[in-house]
Amino acid sequence: MISIRRADERGHFDHGWLNTFHTFSFADYHDPAHMGFRALRVINEDRVAPGQGFGAHRHRDMEIVSYVLEGALAHQDSMGNSGVIRPGDVQRMSAGTGVQHSEFNASKTEPVHFLQIWILPERNGTPPSYEQKTFPKETARGRLRLVGSPDGRDGSVTIGQDVEIYSGALDSGEEVRHVVEPGRHAWLQVARGDVDLNGNTLHAGDGAAVTGERELRIAGKGSEFLLFDLV
């Protein structure tokens, strides 16, 4: 079964400095029918104005993944980490017992467009940790590139949950396939362009929950997307 979450059905707030869409319930947006999918709790698509951002705030017991589509996102946290995330980078912060961090648009002239993803951890109360890796765009061109996993294999960032995250970029006519093992599920989030998922057309901002499908056939139409394989 494939259940599609259309982009225009998401929660939406335009705060001037921040234009944000919430696939699942988040902050002031509450929808009992969309509280997450399996361990996937938050997918926010954010556009932050130049020089603006999220001041220091605290999290705990959450795996937080940031994926930049355009621009540059500056990060600082109470563990002493700081840096700038750009397209091709994947940042993972395990909040664990508690961490404070801030995120700002690193540019004074250009907006930043990124996805922020929250995943419920397998275990609460672990020490907080941070990781950032670069995955050149060409490594996801015409294929699925593993960017997050529980064991950090193939150079992916390590997620404290039984979830695999793949990035993909497909031109028109290109197709990739992914086998979903018995007992597992998948979520596909389209970041840009269009994809065909097992005969279902998805556009930028759309997401799809997948349960009981043995194989996913993803055909591209100038698309970039993230695929989550999870229990």
Side-chain angles (χ1 to χ4, degrees):
M1 181 177 71
I2 296 177
S3 178
I4 299 174
R5 174 70 156 153
R6 294 296 181 190
D8 60 4
E9 298 171 347
R10 299 175 296 176
H12 176 230
F13 297 92
D14 189 343
H15 302 286
W17 66 273
L18 168 67
N19 190 16
T20 181
F21 291 86
H22 307 319
T23 295
F24 305 121
S25 293
F26 182 83
D28 293 332
Y29 170 63
H30 181 72
D31 182 350
H34 296 95
M35 296 299 297
F37 179 71
R38 315 302 296 180
L40 187 55
R41 178 61 187 85
V42 167
I43 300 178
N44 290 346
E45 181 180 1
D46 292 341
R47 290 175 172 84
V48 179
Q52 300 294 313
F54 306 90
H57 56 286
R58 193 167 183 82
H59 295 289
R60 64 173 297 144
D61 293 327
M62 196 65 69
E63 301 290 295
I64 301 173
V65 177
S66 296
Y67 183 87
V68 173
L69 295 165
E70 296 176 300
L73 186 69
H75 168 93
Q76 284 192 320
D77 64 46
S78 56
M79 295 178 284
N81 300 298
S82 63
V84 177
I85 314 161
R86 295 182 171 86
D89 296 338
V90 175
Q91 178 208 75
R92 184 271 304 159
M93 186 177 72
S94 298
T97 53
V99 64
Q100 185 166 286
H101 77 132
S102 64
E103 295 167 307
F104 278 85
N105 187 339
S107 172
K108 300 297 183 183
T109 57
E110 300 295 331
V112 61
H113 178 198
F114 71 104
L115 299 178
Q116 185 165 106
I117 297 139
W118 291 10
I119 298 169
L120 297 169
E122 197 166 44
R123 292 184 302 276
N124 290 339
T126 59
S129 62
Y130 177 89
E131 194 176 10
Q132 180 178 330
K133 292 191 175 182
T134 299
F135 303 90
K137 288 295 184 181
E138 58 268 21
T139 65
R141 180 66 58 189
R143 61 186 290 259
L144 294 175
R145 174 61 164 101
L146 185 69
V147 298
S149 67
D151 54 5
R153 70 182 186 280
D154 297 335
S156 60
V157 300
T158 304
I159 310 291
Q161 177 56 268
D162 187 1
V163 58
E164 297 173 351
I165 307 175
Y166 298 87
S167 66
L170 301 176
D171 291 330
S172 295
E174 291 185 320
E175 180 180 286
V176 293
R177 299 193 177 203
H178 179 76
V179 174
V180 183
E181 297 296 338
R184 297 187 69 86
H185 308 260
W187 180 278
L188 182 72
Q189 186 69 32
V190 183
R192 62 176 113 227
D194 298 332
V195 303
D196 182 286
L197 172 64
N198 289 17
N200 298 276
T201 300
L202 303 175
H203 308 290
D206 289 351
V210 181
T211 297
E213 300 279 336
R214 187 72 174 94
E215 184 181 59
L216 304 184
R217 301 177 307 279
I218 307 168
K221 300 176 183 176
S223 58
E224 183 176 355
F225 57 88
L226 292 177
L227 174 64
F228 302 82
D229 183 314
L230 61 173
V231 293

